[in-house]
Amino acid sequence: MISVKEKEEDIGTRILTHLAAPMEVGFELLPYCNLRCFHCFSNSSPDQPYTGLSLRKIEALYDELVELQVFKIYLGGGEPFARRDILEIIKLAADRSLAVTISTNGSFLTERHIDVLGRIRPAVIQVSLDGACAETHDGMRGAGSFNKATGALKLLRTVGISTAIGTVGCQTNFPEIPDILQIALDLGVSCFHLMGLQPAGRASSSYESQRLTENQWLFLHDFFNLRGSVLREVIDLQVEIDKFVLFKHRLFTPQAHLDSFSKLWCICPCGRRLCTIAANGDVLPCELMRDVIAGNVHSRPLSKIWKRSVAFESIRKRSLGIAACSDCRFWDVCQGGCAAATLNLTGALTGADPRCELANKEISRASSQS
């Protein structure tokens, strides 16, 4: 099930670069979304079409995923519940025992959806909530979206579906993040998922002005670290603190002792243990890397794309030759950082994630000695 490659040059250890098949596959069911969020990692909007993979093609892909022993799929968009056949799409996955996570803004969820979802029982439905009040959330997403999101969470709870709140932390909503967590607790949500703003899609234009600062990430680290043991008794916390801030302040313990599989779980997953299928059938390394196309499922099986794509191969080998990272004590859990962010911010895959101060200092030191 695994593919092992030798780490190049002077690094001298053997690493696991990818799995023989993805563990998780994302489906972008359509590019259309009724909202136009400034922090969207794609360019979903009301101007985009409703077009996407046909139900028959999705079913065929599900069968291929089962054969590949993929066990988790992620349904997003755009807004997945804008598709009229969304319940059939979810049911086809559930019938094949694929664990289904769905990401939605909640706008299109109705009692009819809820009734059927209560019988299908997807693994998790994540509803986006980016403010603790309508003023903030609607300002980021669109008028009336706060009430629709919280209303959807309440409806989902009535049929016992596991829910998550997904929050993108940025300058606009940073002061409200503790209050958004409190809403999650009050609504009986199963999981609180906090993410940082990413330099991809529409969010690229506001990334530098809206991304959280180092001190803000340190505050969030302390906030959740102090309360984590108590909170985790009632809610799953998936808090993605900026790891480069943790590295810089020695708040992350090096993990050189981990086995190869465990290390693979710590590093950038795109093209290594997951991929994304876009609405037109393009296979992307991840949802943040939209300009790298590994193939298209209309012309080639996903299994062959995963195993033979030149694009995937370049991503898997990317971390092997990054000089700025070769002696880093955090190599085993980073290996050059996020491939998508590196490409989107620098235009190239070959260097270290430019958001890492440790790598930038090493580059400056090497330049001064040359």
Side-chain angles (χ1 to χ4, degrees), residues 269-281:
C270 69
R272 300 174 184 266
R273 55 182 174 85
L274 61 80
C275 63
T276 295
I277 303 174
N280 65 353

PDB file of all heavy atoms in Angstrom, residues 269-281:
ATOM      1  N   PRO A 269      -0.452  17.422   2.975  1.00  0.00           N
ATOM      2  CA  PRO A 269      -1.049  16.171   2.467  1.00  0.00           C
ATOM      3  C   PRO A 269      -1.325  16.149   0.976  1.00  0.00           C
ATOM      4  O   PRO A 269      -1.637  15.093   0.426  1.00  0.00           O
ATOM      5  CB  PRO A 269      -2.358  16.106   3.251  1.00  0.00           C
ATOM      6  CG  PRO A 269      -2.750  17.545   3.420  1.00  0.00           C
ATOM      7  CD  PRO A 269      -1.447  18.289   3.612  1.00  0.00           C
ATOM      8  N   CYS A 270      -1.214  17.289   0.290  1.00  0.00           N
ATOM      9  CA  CYS A 270      -1.695  17.343  -1.089  1.00  0.00           C
ATOM     10  C   CYS A 270      -0.864  16.454  -2.006  1.00  0.00           C
ATOM     11  O   CYS A 270       0.361  16.512  -2.025  1.00  0.00           O
ATOM     12  CB  CYS A 270      -1.708  18.777  -1.603  1.00  0.00           C
ATOM     13  SG  CYS A 270      -0.120  19.535  -1.862  1.00  0.00           S
ATOM     14  N   GLY A 271      -1.545  15.584  -2.725  1.00  0.00           N
ATOM     15  CA  GLY A 271      -0.887  14.661  -3.624  1.00  0.00           C
ATOM     16  C   GLY A 271      -0.126  13.558  -2.916  1.00  0.00           C
ATOM     17  O   GLY A 271       0.494  12.709  -3.571  1.00  0.00           O
ATOM     18  N   ARG A 272      -0.175  13.542  -1.601  1.00  0.00           N
ATOM     19  CA  ARG A 272       0.519  12.522  -0.812  1.00  0.00           C
ATOM     20  C   ARG A 272      -0.485  11.541  -0.206  1.00  0.00           C
ATOM     21  O   ARG A 272      -0.295  10.338  -0.241  1.00  0.00           O
ATOM     22  CB  ARG A 272       1.349  13.163   0.294  1.00  0.00           C
ATOM     23  CG  ARG A 272       2.436  14.119  -0.199  1.00  0.00           C
ATOM     24  CD  ARG A 272       3.077  14.806   0.996  1.00  0.00           C
ATOM     25  NE  ARG A 272       4.058  15.809   0.629  1.00  0.00           N
ATOM     26  CZ  ARG A 272       5.366  15.588   0.523  1.00  0.00           C
ATOM     27  NH1 ARG A 272       5.832  14.371   0.717  1.00  0.00           N
ATOM     28  NH2 ARG A 272       6.195  16.557   0.207  1.00  0.00           N
ATOM     29  N   ARG A 273      -1.535  12.089   0.408  1.00  0.00           N
ATOM     30  CA  ARG A 273      -2.569  11.224   0.984  1.00  0.00           C
ATOM     31  C   ARG A 273      -3.977  11.716   0.662  1.00  0.00           C
ATOM     32  O   ARG A 273      -4.950  11.144   1.114  1.00  0.00           O
ATOM     33  CB  ARG A 273      -2.387  11.065   2.494  1.00  0.00           C
ATOM     34  CG  ARG A 273      -2.320  12.348   3.283  1.00  0.00           C
ATOM     35  CD  ARG A 273      -2.083  12.064   4.771  1.00  0.00           C
ATOM     36  NE  ARG A 273      -1.873  13.268   5.545  1.00  0.00           N
ATOM     37  CZ  ARG A 273      -2.842  14.017   6.057  1.00  0.00           C
ATOM     38  NH1 ARG A 273      -4.099  13.659   5.880  1.00  0.00           N
ATOM     39  NH2 ARG A 273      -2.565  15.101   6.750  1.00  0.00           N
ATOM     40  N   LEU A 274      -4.080  12.785  -0.108  1.00  0.00           N
ATOM     41  CA  LEU A 274      -5.393  13.242  -0.559  1.00  0.00           C
ATOM     42  C   LEU A 274      -5.278  13.976  -1.878  1.00  0.00           C
ATOM     43  O   LEU A 274      -4.190  14.390  -2.290  1.00  0.00           O
ATOM     44  CB  LEU A 274      -6.072  14.124   0.493  1.00  0.00           C
ATOM     45  CG  LEU A 274      -5.416  15.444   0.933  1.00  0.00           C
ATOM     46  CD1 LEU A 274      -5.676  16.562  -0.095  1.00  0.00           C
ATOM     47  CD2 LEU A 274      -5.966  15.890   2.270  1.00  0.00           C
ATOM     48  N   CYS A 275      -6.409  14.157  -2.533  1.00  0.00           N
ATOM     49  CA  CYS A 275      -6.495  14.972  -3.740  1.00  0.00           C
ATOM     50  C   CYS A 275      -7.926  15.481  -3.867  1.00  0.00           C
ATOM     51  O   CYS A 275      -8.813  15.077  -3.104  1.00  0.00           O
ATOM     52  CB  CYS A 275      -6.084  14.183  -4.981  1.00  0.00           C
ATOM     53  SG  CYS A 275      -7.147  12.766  -5.365  1.00  0.00           S
ATOM     54  N   THR A 276      -8.150  16.365  -4.828  1.00  0.00           N
ATOM     55  CA  THR A 276      -9.464  16.966  -5.030  1.00  0.00           C
ATOM     56  C   THR A 276      -9.878  16.821  -6.487  1.00  0.00           C
ATOM     57  O   THR A 276      -9.053  17.010  -7.387  1.00  0.00           O
ATOM     58  CB  THR A 276      -9.442  18.464  -4.651  1.00  0.00           C
ATOM     59  OG1 THR A 276      -9.200  18.588  -3.246  1.00  0.00           O
ATOM     60  CG2 THR A 276     -10.763  19.141  -4.988  1.00  0.00           C
ATOM     61  N   ILE A 277     -11.144  16.481  -6.706  1.00  0.00           N
ATOM     62  CA  ILE A 277     -11.699  16.411  -8.055  1.00  0.00           C
ATOM     63  C   ILE A 277     -12.589  17.631  -8.258  1.00  0.00           C
ATOM     64  O   ILE A 277     -13.594  17.806  -7.565  1.00  0.00           O
ATOM     65  CB  ILE A 277     -12.495  15.117  -8.271  1.00  0.00           C
ATOM     66  CG1 ILE A 277     -11.608  13.896  -8.007  1.00  0.00           C
ATOM     67  CG2 ILE A 277     -13.052  15.073  -9.691  1.00  0.00           C
ATOM     68  CD1 ILE A 277     -12.360  12.574  -8.064  1.00  0.00           C
ATOM     69  N   ALA A 278     -12.207  18.486  -9.199  1.00  0.00           N
ATOM     70  CA  ALA A 278     -12.960  19.712  -9.465  1.00  0.00           C
ATOM     71  C   ALA A 278     -14.244  19.405 -10.228  1.00  0.00           C
ATOM     72  O   ALA A 278     -14.443  18.297 -10.743  1.00  0.00           O
ATOM     73  CB  ALA A 278     -12.092  20.691 -10.246  1.00  0.00           C
ATOM     74  N   ALA A 279     -15.098  20.397 -10.340  1.00  0.00           N
ATOM     75  CA  ALA A 279     -16.412  20.202 -10.965  1.00  0.00           C
ATOM     76  C   ALA A 279     -16.309  19.785 -12.424  1.00  0.00           C
ATOM     77  O   ALA A 279     -17.198  19.112 -12.943  1.00  0.00           O
ATOM     78  CB  ALA A 279     -17.234  21.484 -10.833  1.00  0.00           C
ATOM     79  N   ASN A 280     -15.224  20.160 -13.098  1.00  0.00           N
ATOM     80  CA  ASN A 280     -15.049  19.789 -14.508  1.00  0.00           C
ATOM     81  C   ASN A 280     -14.296  18.478 -14.687  1.00  0.00           C
ATOM     82  O   ASN A 280     -13.996  18.068 -15.812  1.00  0.00           O
ATOM     83  CB  ASN A 280     -14.339  20.905 -15.267  1.00  0.00           C
ATOM     84  CG  ASN A 280     -12.908  21.122 -14.785  1.00  0.00           C
ATOM     85  OD1 ASN A 280     -12.482  20.520 -13.793  1.00  0.00           O
ATOM     86  ND2 ASN A 280     -12.173  21.980 -15.468  1.00  0.00           N
ATOM     87  N   GLY A 281     -13.946  17.811 -13.562  1.00  0.00           N
ATOM     88  CA  GLY A 281     -13.248  16.536 -13.625  1.00  0.00           C
ATOM     89  C   GLY A 281     -11.755  16.632 -13.449  1.00  0.00           C
ATOM     90  O   GLY A 281     -11.073  15.606 -13.349  1.00  0.00           O
TER      91      GLY A 281
END
